[in-house]
Every structure is written in structure tokens, then in C-alpha cells.
Amino acid sequence: MKKKSLTDDQKQELFETLKQRFEKHMDRHTGHLWDQVEKKLQQNPNAVWSLSEMDRTGGEPDVVAYDESTDMFHFYDCAKESPKERRSVCYDREAREGRKKFPPENSALEMAAEMGIDVLDEEQYRYLQTLGEFDLKTSSWIITPADIRKLGGSLFGDRRYNTVFVYHNGADSYYAARGFRGVLKV
């Protein structure tokens, strides 16, 4: 089982990385200061660990929204392409275990749960795409409605031809260029 805490040095390094990314992309979180975000993170070591996992796996997490009603910052994976260390996975455990030939080692929903994050849903994925151009060469699994999943399908999104597309595929499929993006609310 993976240790879910960071050393002081690891935490400091992560905070510096997050702060630099935050300051480089102020257009993603207009009106907020890093000190506000850092204060929230200092109060939530589990969230810090989850952010370190998002960063370690290539997600480049950054603040993209603030929900006043819950007083929470929303971190999304903002890597240009679907995070490298989260590709070649099917949608969920049921799909992975049901695959007869060459099952992948993991699934998007299982990995997200292990990391303490949620997979982006379609609305969140489309919102992310308003902040830049993402998944120009890759694609990302997104939360699939139960009625589609019950029939064996799953949804993923990408950006091609200057348009955001949401497609379907068998939940047990997996590709080297398909991963998933997460959200963490702190």
C-alpha cells in the first residue's frame, strides 16, 4: 500500500511547483492569490498528497475554479495532453476484469480513487477546454452516465479541428493515447 503522506521537503517542492504554475497561468483563476490556495492546502494534508499524485503522474494540476458556496478551490489536470502516467487504461474495474484478452493493469476510475481524486465529467471537461487547447493528440476518459455504462459503453473527449468532441467506446477498450484527467476540490 502506498504511503499517503509527504516529507516536509517533498511538500515544499510540490508547493513551489504549484505556485509557479499558478502564477504562470493567472488567467485560469483571476482574482485569487496563491496565499489563499496555500492556506487551504496547509489545512488539508490528504489533498496535498492527492495533488502530488496528480503532478507525479503528469497531470500538471492547477486551480481552474473557486466555488464560493463551498469555499473550495478546484484543481484540474491541465497538462496539454492526457497525463502520461495515466494512459493505456480502460474505464473502470468491471471493464478491466471483464476483458478476456490482454487486460490493462489498471482503469481510470480505480486509479482516480487510489489518488483521492475524481475523473472529470463532460461539463468539467468542456470547461477545461475553454481555458486552453487540451488533448490535441490524446484523449481522456470522462465520467459516463450509468445508462450508457450499463450497456458496456463509456465516454471520452478530445479536441480536434478546433472543436471539443465527446465520443463513445467500449468501456473495456484502452489505447496508448487515452488516459484520464482528474479534479480535486480543496
Side-chain angles (χ1 to χ4, degrees), residues 18-34:
L18 294 172
K19 179 181 180 182
Q20 287 174 6
R21 190 174 296 132
F22 184 92
E23 291 174 348
K24 181 178 180 182
H25 300 284
M26 291 301 292
D27 55 310
R28 294 177 183 162
H29 33 257
T30 306
H32 294 285
L33 303 173
W34 171 251

Side-chain angles (χ1 to χ4, degrees), residues 8-169:
D8 288 342
D9 287 345
Q10 290 170 322
K11 184 177 165 184
Q12 188 58 39
E13 185 178 330
L14 175 65
F15 276 36
E16 189 56 40
T17 298
L18 294 172
K19 179 181 180 182
Q20 287 174 6
R21 190 174 296 132
F22 184 92
E23 291 174 348
K24 181 178 180 182
H25 300 284
M26 291 301 292
D27 55 310
R28 294 177 183 162
H29 33 257
T30 306
H32 294 285
L33 303 173
W34 171 251
D35 291 346
Q36 298 167 309
V37 176
E38 185 174 12
K39 182 179 178 185
K40 283 281 213 184
L41 292 175
Q42 294 287 5
Q43 298 167 354
N44 194 334
N46 290 336
V48 173
W49 181 83
S50 292
L51 282 169
S52 73
E53 287 298 287
M54 290 173 80
D55 201 60
R56 180 187 65 76
T57 57
E60 300 179 22
D62 194 12
V63 174
V64 299
Y66 173 73
D67 184 341
E68 233 176 272
S69 66
T70 60
D71 186 32
M72 297 181 102
F73 289 100
H74 297 197
F75 284 84
Y76 285 14
D77 287 308
C78 292
K80 231 25 191 159
E81 302 298 339
S82 198
K84 273 191 175 172
E85 300 298 319
R86 294 190 239 151
R87 296 183 195 165
S88 296
V89 296
C90 60
Y91 181 69
D92 61 12
R93 181 181 185 157
E94 179 184 347
R96 180 178 58 78
E97 290 178 345
R99 190 172 172 99
K100 303 283 186 243
K101 290 186 177 181
F102 311 110
E105 291 182 26
N106 216 332
S107 73
L109 294 188
E110 288 175 291
M111 285 183 77
E114 290 167 11
M115 296 168 66
I117 63 175
D118 294 313
V119 174
L120 294 182
D121 63 24
E122 183 177 352
E123 181 180 351
Q124 292 166 327
Y125 187 80
R126 289 186 181 280
Y127 173 71
L128 174 67
Q129 293 283 2
T130 68
L131 302 175
E133 295 184 344
F134 301 94
D135 287 332
L136 297 171
K137 298 175 186 171
T138 59
S139 61
S140 296
W141 288 115
I142 59 175
I143 292 296
T144 299
D147 55 336
I148 294 172
R149 182 61 195 97
K150 184 178 174 182
L151 296 171
S154 190
L155 302 178
F156 66 93
D158 64 21
R159 178 187 283 267
R160 304 290 191 275
Y161 310 108
N162 202 28
T163 302
V164 177
F165 291 96
V166 171
Y167 305 105
H168 60 89
N169 214 178

